[in-house]
Amino acid sequence: MMAKFNIGDIKGVIPALITIFDKEENLDTDKLKILVNYLINQGVHGFYLTGSTGQGMMMDAAERKSVVEAVVEEVDGRVPIIVHVGAIATVQAIDLAKHACEVGADAISSVPPFYYKFSFDELYGYYEDVASSTPLPMIIYSIPYNTGVEMGIDSVEQLSRIENVKGIKYTSMDHYEMQRIKEHIGEDFMIYSGSDEMCVSGLMMGADGIIGSFYNLDPEIYIEIYEDIQNKEYGKARDKLIIANDIIEVCLKYGVYPSIRAGLRFIGIDAGRDRSPFKPLGNMEVKNFRRELKDLKSSKDITGIRLLDVL
Ligand code: MN9
């Protein structure tokens, strides 16, 4: 299988796809395929697999590969697919990268090696080795809150000189830094803003796309935001993000991933559970979550968002 999209075509609203685990915490790729089709029908522009939201770091290599195979097969070239291959040993990441390439993914991405405090030299070597292991474009994934690894403008600039390194998923709220990265490295270096709460300023300040958790749950609002920004309707985009953020604020009280799964269930999609030690919501929590979303809907008279319309 060959990649079908060029890096320049990977843009827009890209869910960091959740991975679906059943009650016993085993992978359920059949249910995942249902979600994938739902999201494509909602109009998402691509998928980012086995990253933070996809709990890639909580799966073994065989499981990560079966998620990638299932999604690539189901998507069948309709939208581009980025595979997160990050691991703390280079050899593990290379194995996943080669697999992603063989099955037809369009790009790979990786967090920097974490846990041990690797030197920049070691980190650079990791990206060099992983990026050169396949012809696919590599998107660096900076998420200092989770990895503890800060990558400033200078570091990103250096990494961007590695062949195949073509962009960054920038999960932080500093859109000054994000915009400077684009400015220093150039228009062709792709930037994906990773903080859903900040997608408007991210897109206004030069992000080519947005990759995040909530595009699994209420993608339609973010797709409208993306279109508004394309049309320079910034005020409209901001008003919509305030609504989206009202939803995020409620969700965060219950945990990002458990709330996304519970919300998808309201819509009629069985999104299973997270892997332990993440805890599923109890019945009472689900009830309260639903009530809080319902209150939000009526207090602001919100319509047109499936998650709220179904309540
Ligand atoms: O980068 C996501 N980060 C994590 C992506 O999953 C750690 C974001 O989409 C956040 O979940 C989101 C909510 O805070 O912005």
Side-chain angles (χ1 to χ4, degrees):
M1 281 286 284
M2 284 277 286
K4 296 204 171 63
F5 295 88
N6 295 319
I7 184 74
D9 302 325
I10 307 182
K11 51 194 180 189
V13 180
I14 302 175
L17 190 68
I18 56 168
T19 299
I20 300 185
F21 302 102
D22 65 19
K23 279 195 186 67
E24 284 75 44
E25 299 190 30
N26 293 315
L27 273 186
D28 191 333
T29 49
D30 289 338
K31 294 222 167 97
L32 190 57
K33 289 178 179 179
I34 295 172
L35 175 61
V36 160
N37 285 316
Y38 171 74
L39 293 172
I40 292 181
N41 290 336
Q42 291 290 301
V44 303
H45 305 114
F47 291 105
Y48 187 92
L49 308 183
T50 60
S52 314
T53 308
Q55 294 171 354
M57 253 76 71
M58 301 178 89
M59 288 185 265
D60 65 29
E63 291 171 323
R64 289 171 74 160
K65 289 176 187 176
S66 60
V67 169
V68 175
E69 283 166 24
V71 177
V72 170
E73 182 189 291
E74 193 62 27
V75 169
D76 195 21
R78 286 179 286 174
V79 293
I81 294 176
I82 307 164
V83 177
H84 175 258
V85 300
I88 59 175
T90 305
V91 65
Q92 297 171 308
I94 289 178
D95 173 49
L96 295 169
K98 284 191 188 298
H99 172 265
C101 184
E102 272 158 25
V103 301
D106 300 286
I108 54 171
S109 177
S110 179
V111 289
F114 52 97
Y115 187 73
Y116 301 105
K117 299 209 180 315
F118 295 106
S119 68
F120 182 71
D121 238 30
E122 289 166 330
L123 186 156
Y124 188 94
Y126 171 90
Y127 278 110
E128 234 180 359
D129 293 343
V130 180
S132 66
S133 72
T134 84
L136 294 180
M138 154 68 90
I139 299 164
I140 292 164
Y141 181 6
S142 174
I143 179 161
Y145 177 81
N146 286 57
T147 58
V149 183
E150 297 276 352
M151 289 191 272
I153 300 174
D154 289 349
S155 310
V156 179
E157 219 177 326
Q158 282 188 56
L159 291 169
S160 75
R161 293 193 201 107
I162 299 173
E163 215 192 322
N164 292 344
V165 170
K166 300 289 186 204
I168 184 168
K169 171 171 171 356
Y170 182 90
T171 300
S172 166
M173 294 191 176
D174 186 347
H175 289 162
Y176 167 71
E177 183 181 66
M178 192 203 79
Q179 198 283 327
R180 289 291 98 186
I181 289 172
K182 189 95 175 174
E183 206 63 28
H184 286 221
I185 302 177
E187 205 31 55
D188 293 345
F189 189 73
M190 302 298 280
I191 295 189
Y192 304 94
S193 179
S195 170
D196 309 2
E197 300 84 332
M198 304 285 285
C199 65
V200 169
S201 59
L203 289 166
M204 280 179 71
M205 295 313 285
D208 302 283
I210 49 179
I211 300 176
S213 311
F214 282 94
Y215 319 140
N216 285 282
L217 182 59
D218 49 352
E220 61 269 48
I221 193 160
Y222 298 99
I223 291 164
E224 284 183 26
I225 288 172
Y226 179 71
E227 285 163 1
D228 288 341
I229 302 273
Q230 303 282 95
N231 300 326
K232 300 198 165 25
E233 306 253 33
Y234 301 125
K236 277 192 186 169
R238 184 204 50 214
D239 293 347
K240 285 173 192 159
L241 182 58
I242 292 171
I243 303 286
N245 281 348
D246 288 333
I247 295 173
I248 290 185
E249 193 180 357
V250 172
C251 289
L252 291 184
K253 288 193 208 169
Y254 298 88
V256 186
Y257 315 125
S259 64
I260 288 173
R261 293 180 200 278
L264 282 169
R265 188 151 306 152
F266 300 155
I267 292 172
I269 294 170
D270 180 355
R273 57 158 293 165
D274 294 291
R275 259 195 178 163
S276 299
F278 282 120
K279 284 213 149 140
L281 301 183
N283 289 342
M284 215 38 218
E285 285 170 306
V286 173
K287 241 176 108 181
N288 291 338
F289 176 47
R290 189 186 188 101
R291 186 186 38 78
E292 282 199 63
L293 288 177
K294 229 173 152 169
D295 289 350
L296 168 65
K297 169 169 113 170
S298 46
S299 71
K300 290 206 171 174
D301 220 359
I302 306 166
T303 55
I305 300 175
R306 182 113 191 251
L307 171 69
L308 302 183
D309 287 344
V310 295
L311 300 176

